[in-house]
Amino acid sequence: MFQGTISLSLDAKGRLAIPARYREALAQTANGTLVLTAHPHGCLLLYPVPAWEPIRDQILKAPSFDPRSAALKRVLVGNAREEEMDGAGRLLVASELRGFAKLEKQVWLVGMGSHFEIWSDEGWQRQNDAALAALQSDQPIPGFEGIAL
């Protein structure tokens, strides 16, 4: 399970050094092969291949003639790239995906259980501000009924 948030730097070639505490799990789970794709919220998603494949298959079953389903397919599947960690545990983030998520030098790797989100510094700060504002509401959070936090 991937959890926690860590600030990282992209190197001059656009590579992200995966923290050592996650490398072994990613190598064992996916033999070092990962899927990197765009997310509609403006970040990137990083999945081990075995965790990505059922999600991809479910997305591809959606009707292509529905504009929202087609849009989701284009964003998630259309931008998906298989990448391998190198011997130093670095992952190349393609320039197209860096541009999509507006990634510059500093990025945030956010563990989301089965996968990671990769945010630009500005995007992560904006996301945190929006999340805190949303949690100030008295509205119940779907799926959290009866859970004391």
Side-chain angles (χ1 to χ4, degrees):
M1 173 170 289
F2 306 115
Q3 60 187 23
T5 303
I6 186 167
S7 175
L8 301 170
S9 295
L10 290 175
D11 70 12
K13 295 181 180 179
R15 295 176 299 193
L16 179 69
I18 302 296
R21 68 179 182 238
Y22 301 125
R23 283 183 206 159
E24 188 172 330
L26 289 170
Q28 289 177 354
T29 304
N31 294 324
T33 304
L34 307 170
V35 173
L36 195 57
T37 191
H39 186 285
H41 292 163
C43 66
L44 301 181
L45 299 174
L46 177 62
Y47 281 92
V49 168
W52 167 251
E53 289 174 340
I55 294 166
R56 178 205 57 210
D57 294 346
Q58 185 176 356
I59 292 167
L60 291 174
K61 288 179 185 175
S64 293
F65 293 111
D66 176 74
R68 290 183 54 138
S69 294
L72 194 59
K73 285 181 184 185
R74 286 185 194 106
V75 171
L76 290 170
V77 179
N79 284 296
R81 298 176 61 106
E82 282 193 15
E83 300 287 350
E84 304 256 346
M85 283 191 295
D86 68 13
R90 295 174 300 195
L91 182 73
L92 177 65
V93 180
S95 62
E96 300 85 4
L97 291 174
R98 288 194 313 266
F100 175 89
K102 298 178 176 71
L103 301 182
E104 295 179 5
K105 180 84 173 150
Q106 183 182 8
V107 300
W108 292 89
L109 185 69
V110 182
M112 299 299 292
S114 64
H115 65 283
F116 293 97
E117 293 178 344
I118 302 172
W119 289 89
S120 68
D121 186 47
E122 181 182 326
W124 181 240
Q125 300 310 321
R126 189 175 51 249
Q127 182 65 26
N128 274 330
D129 291 345
L132 290 173
L135 293 173
Q136 299 303 314
S137 166
D138 290 335
Q139 298 295 319
I141 301 172
F144 284 84
E145 296 83 4
I147 298 175
L149 298 176

